[in-house]
Amino acid sequence: MRVLLVEDDRMIAEPVVDAMRREGYAVDWAQDGRSAELSLDNGVYDLVLLDLGLPKKDGIDVLHAYREAGGEAPVIILTARDAVDERIRGLDTGADDYLVKPFDLDELAARVRALLRRRTGQKQPVYAHGGLTLDPAAHEVTKDGEPVVLVPREFTLLRALIEAPTRVFTKAELEEKLYGWGEEVGSNALEVHVHSLRRKIGAQEIVTVRGVGYRLRRIE
């Protein structure tokens, strides 16, 4: 899952980025309204955390333009504007939830999980490949009917592979799904996740295509 945080206050943004990454999300951080619009044009985000009092363009205007352009990702407004009419305006413009600063990071994480569960539950099937199944809404994986416990990035990696099981993903493509802008990525970080995932679901399930990347094994 990829999250866009739009927040100009570094003291607020950095803890939020850290908290979301601990939850296993790839997080990109835009620091003004114009940068947010450019980021949203890419259409790659599963959820947006949006401040309202932004430089260059107000958050309400960013949200309005995003919804008018057909943007469908859930949006949680994070703001110090706690007046009832401001909340109503944000929700009427297209926000899905509203959290007033200062807020608890655990509560934010819970609201993010709830919104993503609703979204994936409505739009995403349960994926099956051989003996593997992955349920995005329940965040569950089984192998031959037995539950498999994965850490968030292992789950994200398996989901990427099982959504397109015949496709070979390059290292760069998988890293983009697992990490956000500016996040430090070790030279062998992806290989570590692949190795750990193989131990849990079976080494034969993930095939290395030498010089290209990874895919799931072919089902005969």
Side-chain angles (χ1 to χ4, degrees):
M1 294 291 185
R2 194 166 201 88
V3 173
L4 176 66
L5 170 64
V6 187
E7 171 61 67
D8 63 313
D9 188 333
R10 181 174 294 273
M11 293 185 67
I12 294 173
E14 289 181 345
V16 170
V17 169
D18 290 342
M20 291 296 98
R21 287 175 177 168
R22 285 195 300 271
E23 289 286 316
Y25 306 119
V27 185
D28 297 337
W29 173 22
Q31 299 183 50
D32 62 68
R34 295 295 185 195
S35 297
E37 287 189 319
L38 291 172
S39 300
L40 290 168
D41 283 345
N42 294 326
V44 299
Y45 295 104
D46 299 287
L47 184 135
V48 181
L49 303 174
L50 179 66
D51 184 26
L52 296 185
L54 296 168
K56 299 185 180 179
K57 189 166 187 175
D58 190 76
I60 284 289
D61 295 329
V62 171
L63 177 57
H64 177 74
Y66 178 60
R67 294 301 191 214
E68 284 289 301
E72 296 182 348
V75 175
I76 300 177
I77 288 177
L78 309 176
T79 184
R81 301 177 189 175
D82 60 351
V84 172
D85 59 341
E86 288 286 354
R87 299 187 194 191
I88 293 171
R89 184 183 177 206
L91 294 169
D92 284 345
T93 303
D96 298 89
D97 202 352
Y98 204 109
L99 200 53
V100 176
K101 301 174 183 176
F103 49 81
D104 183 83
L105 291 172
D106 289 337
E107 180 183 358
L108 172 61
R111 288 177 184 244
V112 168
R113 289 193 298 269
L115 272 177
L116 291 175
R117 276 199 305 271
R118 291 202 291 270
R119 182 174 187 262
T120 55
Q122 292 170 356
K123 296 188 176 183
Q124 296 295 331
V126 174
Y127 297 96
H129 185 76
L132 285 170
T133 64
L134 183 146
D135 184 341
H139 210 270
E140 293 176 347
V141 173
T142 63
K143 173 71 182 296
D144 298 327
E146 296 296 321
V148 180
V149 179
L150 302 181
V151 301
R153 280 191 173 133
E154 292 167 355
F155 187 91
T156 301
L157 174 58
L158 180 58
R159 180 175 178 176
L161 294 170
I162 206 169
E163 284 180 338
T166 61
R167 178 182 170 186
V168 179
F169 288 87
T170 67
K171 179 179 178 180
E173 287 172 331
L174 292 173
E175 286 178 342
E176 184 176 349
K177 292 179 180 294
L178 267 61
Y179 300 98
W181 300 340
E183 191 171 0
E184 187 173 341
V185 183
S187 60
N188 67 336
L190 178 62
E191 286 79 3
V192 170
H193 291 308
V194 170
H195 176 75
S196 179
L197 185 56
R198 279 173 166 156
R199 284 194 297 106
K200 294 180 179 182
I201 66 173
Q204 76 284 355
E205 297 291 348
I206 302 176
V207 177
T208 301
V209 180
R210 193 170 299 279
V212 184
Y214 300 97
R215 62 167 171 79
L216 290 187
R217 69 180 176 90
R218 292 193 175 93
I219 303 300
E220 300 299 333

